[in-house]
Amino acid sequence: MNNLNVLIIGGGGREHALAWAISRSEHLGNLYIAPGNAGTLLIAESLDLDVSDHQSVINSVAEHSVDLVVIGPEQPLVAGLADDLRAAGCAVFGPDKAAAQLEGSKAFAKSVMKAAGVPTAAWRDFGKDELEEARTYALDQQLPVVVKADGLASGKGVVICRSEDEVHAIFDQILNEGAFGDAASRVVVEEFMEGEEASVFAVTDGEHVKLFPPVQDHKQIGEGGTGPNTGGMGAYLPAPVVSDEMLEEIEESIIRPVLAEMKSRGISYTGVLYTGLMITKDGPKVVEFNCRFGDPECQVLMPATFEDVLTLCYQAATGDLEDGRLACSDLHFCGVIMASAGYPGSYEKGKVITGTEQMDKDILVYHSGTSSENGRLVTAGGRVLCVVGRGATLDKAIQRAYSGVKNIDFEGAYFRSDIGRKGLMRELNA
Ligand code: AMP
Ligand code: GLY
């Protein structure tokens, strides 16, 4: 397993972190990324590929003698890129189309959870021509009630309705204004779960499972979890809301039963299974599954592991993984997203970024929406950078992340100043 040529699909902070981790492997030959960003330029060759054109990806894999493709985002997975690459003989880290339905269809994920006996919110799902029935069902439930688009909606397909008016409003929007778009061809109505969220990432070849430490994301744009949802404004690990025993329970009563249920349906899941959990007073319950690493969770997971990430991905892709925990640092990691002014709404691009280079050894900067213009680093997306600090305590990791953020400047830079605070509060109250 030497001199493996690897192609990473994607261009966000998650993919920069994956590229950074894979570039450190002694088994790496050439590293390619499509499209990548300004941060990946130094460690990977960017390929100009239309990822939705699977044949062009297959051709490029052949041309560059790629041994392993690592697919970062959900869209190409749900669209079946992994299936087509595998059919062409390439090893792929990432589930095929049928397995990616765990993220691509919430109704499918719910049916798998039900069959596997996995704890999750009570729910019903409805087709496009049953929306009035769905509304009536939602109005009959205890408030708040959650209304979700079945399909992929870039994190914007979930509405928590706290009043009957809000239930009417979302159904009126779906019926009359095409809210949720194509993702609403089915709608899931589910019970609201009270608790604290956490995410668990399991690398799997369908049979064997290796877990990362639990992570906590910060989905909303505003301090204290206020305002609209984003892709994620920061993450830290390990999240103390998930104890070691609870992680064990999550593996045994959620992750393994789901993989076994998928297998019994003839679907083998390869890649990383992202379990979004609500830690309720009755224990962990599943909010959602995703078929990929989280962004920005990946930016704290990659520096936290001692594993050779290329070997790990290759073993998962080729059915050669072993059970167990991933070897991970005892340190704490905190990643803070710096975003463009206006995100998650509209924002301007092309702002010059300074200060990313002079960081101490306990601070890492992963690029998300950046590009290089005439040798200058500029903003090119909503989420721009993720600054990760590490330390012997969570407090220290947070301080280092924010000291890195302080060094960096671009016009309109926005970040939340409370990333990791929930963890600190929990430690204080323990
Ligand atoms: P999802 O796309 O399913 O992860 O939902 C996005 C966010 O909505 C989650 O991260 C939660 O914060 C919230 N959410 C979704 N479903 C529920 C639920 N049943 N109860 C409480 N909050 C939820
Ligand atoms: N950070 C949340 C996600 O990647 O879905």
Side-chain angles (χ1 to χ4, degrees):
M1 218 202 76
N2 266 330
N3 292 320
L4 292 180
N5 296 331
V6 178
L7 167 62
I8 297 173
I9 303 290
R14 165 181 49 212
E15 289 78 23
H16 186 194
L18 285 168
W20 172 86
I22 288 173
S23 72
R24 296 153 69 90
S25 170
E26 60 184 39
H27 303 293
L28 181 67
N30 297 324
L31 182 56
Y32 303 98
I33 188 161
N37 58 37
T40 62
L41 287 175
L42 290 178
I43 49 176
E45 182 183 332
S46 290
L47 300 182
D48 185 16
L49 284 178
D50 173 2
V51 172
S52 66
D53 177 356
H54 295 184
Q55 191 55 49
S56 79
V57 181
I58 292 168
N59 295 345
S60 181
V61 159
E63 183 189 336
H64 296 94
S65 304
V66 168
D67 300 293
L68 172 70
V69 179
V70 177
I71 302 178
E74 61 277 20
Q75 294 89 350
L77 292 164
V78 171
L81 178 59
D83 310 50
D84 291 338
L85 284 164
R86 285 195 183 103
C90 187
V92 183
F93 182 80
D96 60 22
K97 189 175 179 166
Q101 284 298 97
L102 273 184
E103 175 166 3
S105 165
K106 292 189 192 290
F108 174 79
K110 284 292 199 181
S111 83
V112 170
M113 282 188 262
K114 184 177 183 186
V118 163
T120 184
W123 90 101
R124 268 189 65 186
D125 61 278
F126 300 87
K128 219 181 171 52
D129 49 359
E130 300 170 316
L131 286 172
E132 286 306 341
E133 208 179 322
R135 185 202 302 257
T136 308
Y137 174 80
L139 289 168
D140 278 347
Q141 306 308 304
Q142 197 185 335
L143 293 169
V145 64
V146 185
V147 179
K148 299 184 173 186
D150 180 55
L152 290 185
S154 308
K156 297 186 185 82
V158 174
V159 176
I160 295 168
C161 304
R162 296 182 187 278
S163 66
E164 292 200 352
D165 285 350
E166 287 178 12
V167 173
H168 282 297
I170 185 58
F171 279 101
D172 288 345
Q173 282 168 28
I174 297 172
L175 282 160
N176 306 328
E177 294 160 35
F180 296 162
D182 291 343
S185 60
R186 285 197 83 74
V187 167
V188 172
V189 178
E190 74 176 30
E191 170 200 8
F192 178 81
M193 296 183 286
E194 200 81 59
E196 203 173 309
E197 285 182 78
S199 309
V200 170
F201 293 83
V203 174
T204 179
D205 58 4
E207 187 83 42
H208 306 95
V209 171
K210 281 194 162 181
L211 296 191
F212 281 98
V215 195
Q216 208 161 40
D217 184 16
H218 299 66
K219 286 207 168 119
Q220 284 164 290
I221 188 74
E223 304 285 315
T226 52
N229 267 353
T230 68
M233 291 303 293
Y236 73 95
L237 72 77
V241 66
V242 178
S243 62
D244 287 348
E245 303 78 67
M246 199 187 285
L247 191 61
E248 203 81 35
E249 179 191 337
I250 289 164
E251 175 174 347
E252 296 308 326
S253 66
I254 296 176
I255 294 168
R256 287 188 182 276
V258 161
L259 293 174
E261 170 59 25
M262 296 285 278
K263 217 173 157 198
S264 78
R265 298 181 183 209
I267 303 171
S268 177
Y269 191 105
T270 301
V272 64
L273 179 63
Y274 165 162
T275 306
L277 297 148
M278 189 68 79
I279 312 304
T280 71
K281 63 175 183 7
D282 302 322
K285 294 187 179 181
V286 176
V287 178
E288 61 166 351
F289 288 112
N290 293 317
C291 60
R292 48 164 177 94
F293 280 109
D295 185 339
E297 292 93 325
C298 192
Q299 292 91 308
V300 290
L301 293 169
M302 289 302 123
T305 182
F306 295 139
E307 300 276 339
D308 179 319
V309 172
L310 169 51
T311 302
L312 184 70
C313 292
Y314 193 73
Q315 286 174 340
T318 54
D320 200 19
L321 202 68
E322 282 170 20
D323 283 318
R325 291 280 179 273
L326 289 164
C328 283
S329 165
D330 288 334
L331 298 177
H332 296 250
F333 292 78
C334 174
V336 176
I337 291 284
M338 298 183 75
S340 298
Y343 175 76
S346 58
Y347 51 83
E348 290 177 11
K349 297 181 185 177
K351 308 293 182 196
V352 175
I353 306 167
T354 58
T356 54
E357 291 91 11
Q358 313 94 21
M359 294 292 167
D360 86 33
K361 68 172 183 25
D362 292 310
I363 303 173
L364 283 160
V365 180
Y366 295 113
H367 291 223
S368 299
T370 65
S371 68
S372 179
E373 258 176 35
N374 307 322
R376 290 194 313 181
L377 182 63
V378 297
T379 66
R383 293 188 294 174
V384 176
L385 299 164
C386 183
V387 184
V388 179
R390 66 174 177 192
T393 60
L394 175 57
D395 196 24
K396 197 77 206 166
I398 293 171
Q399 279 177 33
R400 291 214 168 104
Y402 281 105
S403 84
V405 166
K406 230 169 83 184
N407 272 330
I408 297 174
D409 195 37
F410 57 88
E411 192 190 313
Y414 170 80
F415 57 89
R416 269 177 69 164
S417 63
D418 63 347
I419 304 302
R421 192 173 295 161
K422 260 196 276 187
L424 285 183
M425 297 307 287
R426 188 165 282 273
E427 285 181 356
L428 280 175
N429 294 327

